[in-house]
Amino acid sequence: MVLKLYFDLFSQPARSLYIFLKLAKIPFEECRVNLGKGEHLTKEFAETKSKIQKIPFIHHGDFRLNESIGIVRYLSREYSIADHWYPKDSKKQAKVDEFLEWNHLNIRLNCSSYFLVKWLMPLKNGKQPSEEECKNLTRRMEKSLEDFERIFLSNERFLFGNSVSYADVHAACEIEQTRMAGYDVRDHFPKIKTWIESVRSECNPVYDQAHKFVNMMAEGNEKQLNSKL
Amino acid sequence: MVLKLYFDLFSQPARSLYIFLKLAKIPFEECRVNLGKGEHLTKEFAETKSKIQKIPFIHHGDFRLNESIGIVRYLSREYSIADHWYPKDSKKQAKVDEFLEWNHLNIRLNCSSYFLVKWLMPLKNGKQPSEEECKNLTRRMEKSLEDFERIFLSNERFLFGNSVSYADVHAACEIEQTRMAGYDVRDHFPKIKTWIESVRSECNPVYDQAHKFVNMMAEGNEKQLNSKL
């Protein structure tokens, strides 16, 4: 049965799903959706591709599924993949799930809000956020990152021991996004820096391929910043 | 092995997990945590009960687990429960997961933000939100509820056919919370009204028991509103 992945590497969960599929060696057909052009917003797209109109999603034969985490769980049942990506052991799986569920209203919400308000919205409608808004966004994001370090990062190489899991990739892709808005988490959280570099090194060269656009934009920001100094 | 549920029925996911445990006939020990008194915020609580310091969570023997959705997934593997609560069939389970994952940044985020800013924060620090803030909160919440109706509710009795699932209970408990802040979703979304009444009727008397405090506060609001008219 053909597996089609609909994605745009501009999106954090699309990148994590793309990296997972490549490294877990699940064969798939690449179906690019250009978010910038709003390709996902038409009525035709909703009818023929995905009613939720968000990426990433998959078509697996006739079966359509949205939401990266749900997709990883589904594919881990449908394909034979290395156990470390999403463990079959009930308690180990539960701990991966605990993190992935916690993540939504913490790193996911607060890093992407920072990115949206500081980078995407000014680009779209020319409106810069106020100083107070920026302060609040930074405060909330840093609270989530502190919690992430304190609660979930130990002295082990990855979130759940010495092997990378989908949870590592999922969180790393969210955290990378803020670099486009000029905030490199590595500069502020040394424990996250060590961990994210392990994830990157374990998942390379696919990790860097998936972050090509993010890196390009982040370098642009750095040059902009340097030219101001 | 003893299963302990740490909860406060003031919390939406605590209510949904409580209802699920009761109706799926999973025996558990009730461990109440008083959120209002901040019982979960002490260092001792973090060390002996839960590092995440949020409820609901479980202790299953020595195993500790947070996050209601992860807990339901874990318990559905550990106990023999009726399949409709969280189906074993791969595709059916994937669709339940899709909804539960989508829900975080939609109904969960936007209904609870409305409740927090309009009800809880004024109670805690006496600060009323501005008119513009209320308008934005309502707009975002109603967008999520419209999406919920359009994407997920069909003409069937529940989200996934004629049998109730944990996803129904989880969403219903989030939606009920806004009544405390004076917004009854039933008055604005007829399709949601029909569905939520089915969930309530299917899960009663446990549903009403779990919502005793919510109902009391909502009635208080209605009286307040009526006294103003």
Side-chain angles (χ1 to χ4, degrees), chain A residues 165-183:
Chain A
S165 75
Y166 176 67
D168 292 285
V169 183
H170 191 79
C173 290
E174 291 295 343
I175 287 171
E176 294 284 7
Q177 194 84 348
T178 62
R179 288 198 292 120
M180 286 204 271
Y183 187 99

Side-chain angles (χ1 to χ4, degrees), chain A:
Chain A
M1 192 155 32
V2 176
L3 176 69
K4 290 180 181 182
L5 172 68
Y6 291 83
F7 69 111
D8 182 331
L9 292 175
F10 182 70
S11 142
Q12 307 89 307
R15 287 199 299 275
S16 59
L17 195 51
Y18 174 86
I19 294 169
F20 164 74
L21 285 170
K22 288 275 184 190
L23 296 182
K25 297 191 172 55
I26 296 174
F28 67 100
E29 192 182 303
E30 296 193 10
C31 304
R32 304 265 173 168
V33 179
N34 193 318
L35 289 184
K37 287 187 181 160
E39 278 179 11
H40 56 307
L41 301 175
T42 65
K43 207 182 152 196
E44 195 228 334
F45 192 95
E47 280 164 9
T48 61
K49 300 287 196 306
S50 162
K51 216 174 165 185
I52 296 184
Q53 293 181 286
K54 291 199 171 153
I55 58 129
F57 60 89
I58 57 165
H59 287 182
H60 193 209
D62 289 338
F63 185 63
R64 298 177 183 187
L65 192 64
N66 265 75
E67 292 294 328
S68 57
I69 296 168
I71 293 171
V72 168
R73 287 185 188 135
Y74 168 72
L75 294 177
S76 75
R77 293 188 297 267
E78 299 290 319
Y79 290 82
S80 166
I81 59 169
D83 195 65
H84 63 85
W85 287 111
Y86 187 68
K88 282 191 178 49
D89 173 82
S90 181
K91 286 188 172 58
K92 283 185 186 168
Q93 186 173 122
K95 292 312 274 186
V96 175
D97 280 350
E98 178 186 68
F99 171 73
L100 287 169
E101 299 303 323
W102 174 88
N103 184 59
H104 283 282
L105 292 174
N106 288 282
I107 296 178
R108 167 67 176 160
L109 173 63
N110 293 314
C111 287
S112 69
S113 296
Y114 182 93
F115 164 75
L116 280 171
V117 179
K118 286 234 356 175
W119 192 88
L120 195 63
M121 278 159 64
L123 197 77
K124 269 191 161 173
N125 56 28
K127 209 187 144 205
Q128 293 292 337
S130 70
E131 209 173 307
E132 202 198 333
E133 216 173 336
C134 289
K135 235 190 223 170
N136 284 335
L137 283 166
T138 309
R139 188 179 43 77
R140 284 201 292 265
M141 177 173 71
E142 292 185 337
K143 171 73 171 68
S144 285
L145 294 165
E146 275 161 31
D147 287 347
F148 176 58
E149 271 201 349
R150 185 178 51 83
I151 301 170
F152 295 101
L153 288 185
S154 63
N155 291 322
E156 295 185 300
R157 201 160 168 236
F158 298 109
L159 280 166
F160 303 100
N162 206 30
S163 300
V164 72
S165 75
Y166 176 67
D168 292 285
V169 183
H170 191 79
C173 290
E174 291 295 343
I175 287 171
E176 294 284 7
Q177 194 84 348
T178 62
R179 288 198 292 120
M180 286 204 271
Y183 187 99
D184 192 340
V185 175
R186 291 167 177 81
D187 297 340
H188 306 264
F189 294 88
K191 218 168 160 183
I192 294 182
K193 183 182 174 178
T194 307
W195 159 80
I196 209 168
E197 283 306 326
S198 300
V199 180
R200 182 180 166 226
S201 132
E202 188 75 7
C203 299
N204 255 343
V206 179
Y207 191 94
D208 282 354
Q209 280 160 16
H211 286 89
K212 200 173 153 189
F213 179 75
V214 174
N215 292 337
M216 214 168 67
M217 297 311 292
E219 276 164 30
N221 268 313
E222 219 161 87
K223 274 179 204 153
Q224 260 188 334
L225 192 73
N226 287 337
S227 71
K228 276 185 193 168
L229 295 173

